[in-house]
Amino acid sequence: MTRPEGAQGAQGAKGAKGVIRRFTAAEHWVHRTTSALMLVCLATAAMLYLPALAEIVGRRRLVVTVHEWAGIMLPVPALAGLASRAFRRDLKLLNRFADHDWSWLRDALRRRPEELRLSGKFNAGQKLYASFSAGAALVMVGTGLIMWFPHLTAVVWRTGATFVHDWLALAIAAAVIGHIWMAARDPEARLGMRTGRVSRAWARRHHPKWDPDAEARAEDSEVQDQPRTPAA
């Protein structure tokens, strides 16, 4: 008898001895696709606003078109990811600030070693980055649409949208650079993002309040509660 697909995924969360699942294939796809679109937006923005790059690249109209379509597609991976139960569950975790998250922030400001800070599956820094990225992406899409179709709005709206779009782009670039820098400092975190799996020792050291076994049991329970289609 074949084990249901969801149950196989939950069993995979328990993994081999010392190895646990952190992200599913769907979450990996959302992260990678969103990252690619964001990097395209930042790269084309640099080509449009930095004269030295603009002269080297040329073809401004093509760069503008790529920038516009990459920007408008930015929310699509996350929206598609909502079809994944694991992605929705992690969104709930990212959207909730617990007492230990405030403690993590205080420890970070005091430059306490990361291994001594309390965090669940996601630490407070990751939650803040996720919230900022989601909000910034929506604002960038909104202001970008106003700039894309200038005849639909008044001059004051277009001026304000341009101001917000440009300065927020700088803030996003700084946040992305910081995100990449933090990831570069932790090879196993990058491995977890690429393969979906991390060592249990790493999880206990960096995310002591995360219980992957409880997460796996919850997945098993969700699979069992699903109505079964009678065999033909």
Side-chain angles (χ1 to χ4, degrees), residues 131-215:
S131 298
F132 169 77
S133 299
L138 292 177
V139 172
M140 292 297 279
V141 170
T143 54
L145 287 172
I146 293 175
M147 297 164 63
W148 195 353
F149 302 102
H151 60 283
L152 298 179
T153 55
V155 174
V156 65
W157 281 87
R158 299 198 298 271
T159 303
T162 302
F163 178 84
V164 171
H165 198 86
D166 291 353
W167 282 100
L168 186 54
L170 292 176
I172 291 173
V176 169
I177 292 172
H179 182 64
I180 294 173
W181 179 71
M182 292 297 293
R185 298 172 58 197
D186 193 338
E188 187 154 2
R190 298 198 308 274
L191 179 66
M193 201 65 253
R194 291 197 308 271
T195 67
R197 299 182 182 278
V198 295
S199 68
R200 191 175 292 273
W202 178 89
R204 288 174 179 169
R205 186 167 63 252
H206 293 274
H207 301 272
K209 298 188 74 67
W210 172 38
D211 186 354
D213 294 329
E215 189 175 276

Side-chain angles (χ1 to χ4, degrees), residues 37-220:
L37 289 171
M38 180 63 76
L39 290 176
V40 169
C41 287
L42 292 174
T44 51
M47 296 173 192
L48 293 172
Y49 284 95
L50 298 178
L53 283 178
E55 291 178 4
I56 294 174
V57 176
R59 306 196 66 176
R60 183 178 179 85
R61 185 64 253 171
L62 175 61
V63 174
V64 170
T65 301
V66 173
H67 182 78
E68 290 172 341
W69 282 103
I72 204 68
M73 293 290 290
L74 201 54
V76 172
L79 293 174
L82 294 175
S84 165
R85 185 184 295 110
F87 182 70
R88 295 195 304 271
R89 183 169 52 248
D90 278 355
L91 280 184
K92 291 180 181 178
L93 294 177
L94 287 168
N95 199 39
R96 293 175 182 171
F97 240 68
D99 291 339
H100 62 261
D101 292 313
W102 295 109
S103 174
W104 189 96
L105 286 177
R106 287 193 296 268
D107 290 339
L109 291 175
R110 295 168 184 166
R111 307 186 73 84
R112 192 179 186 189
E114 188 173 353
E115 291 79 3
L116 301 179
R117 305 174 198 170
L118 292 177
S119 68
K121 185 174 185 179
F122 303 102
N123 63 44
Q126 292 168 330
K127 291 181 179 182
L128 289 176
Y129 176 78
S131 298
F132 169 77
S133 299
L138 292 177
V139 172
M140 292 297 279
V141 170
T143 54
L145 287 172
I146 293 175
M147 297 164 63
W148 195 353
F149 302 102
H151 60 283
L152 298 179
T153 55
V155 174
V156 65
W157 281 87
R158 299 198 298 271
T159 303
T162 302
F163 178 84
V164 171
H165 198 86
D166 291 353
W167 282 100
L168 186 54
L170 292 176
I172 291 173
V176 169
I177 292 172
H179 182 64
I180 294 173
W181 179 71
M182 292 297 293
R185 298 172 58 197
D186 193 338
E188 187 154 2
R190 298 198 308 274
L191 179 66
M193 201 65 253
R194 291 197 308 271
T195 67
R197 299 182 182 278
V198 295
S199 68
R200 191 175 292 273
W202 178 89
R204 288 174 179 169
R205 186 167 63 252
H206 293 274
H207 301 272
K209 298 188 74 67
W210 172 38
D211 186 354
D213 294 329
E215 189 175 276
R217 289 193 296 270
E219 289 185 20
D220 280 332

